[in-house]
Amino acid sequence: MVKIRLKRFGTKKRPDYRIVIQDSRAPRDGVAIEEIGQYHPIAKENQVLFNEERAKYWLSVGAQPTEVVKHLFNSQGLSVKGQKITK
């Protein structure tokens, strides 16, 4: 199964994440199929940046977002088929 999830970067106590498309069996920081965005939880401005068209494409072909990614997409107003992504 293909998932949309976070891949951790950054240093100790200063995490940065990339929003990636990855096989669910792959390790968290393993090889990704595609990187579609970034998430900076420490930054005050522009915390979430992602390519909305690629996210919609991957959702349309069946990729399942994790709970955190669903929350990030909802906070940015990404909707699928007129419906917001729900938990």
Side-chain angles (χ1 to χ4, degrees):
M1 172 186 288
V2 177
K3 291 212 171 233
I4 304 174
R5 62 188 191 184
L6 298 177
K7 185 175 183 179
R8 191 180 195 281
F9 285 87
T11 60
K12 188 163 119 178
K13 298 186 181 180
R14 301 254 333 141
D16 284 327
Y17 298 95
R18 291 186 187 161
I19 302 170
V20 297
I21 312 303
Q22 200 170 32
D23 189 336
S24 62
R25 297 169 292 183
R28 177 192 72 185
D29 296 336
V31 177
I33 297 170
E34 182 179 356
E35 293 181 5
I36 62 170
Q38 300 174 356
Y39 170 52
H40 306 288
I42 308 253
K44 293 184 181 178
E45 296 179 9
N46 297 327
Q47 291 184 6
V48 181
L49 304 168
F50 65 94
N51 185 336
E52 190 172 336
E53 291 190 16
R54 292 306 293 166
K56 286 181 181 178
Y57 166 76
W58 281 105
L59 290 168
S60 71
V61 295
Q64 296 296 314
T66 61
E67 293 296 320
V68 174
V69 174
K70 283 182 194 177
H71 177 69
L72 293 174
F73 284 171
N74 279 334
S75 70
Q76 297 298 310
L78 178 66
S79 61
V80 179
K81 297 180 186 174
Q83 301 282 332
K84 282 201 171 205
I85 303 167
T86 58
K87 292 184 181 179

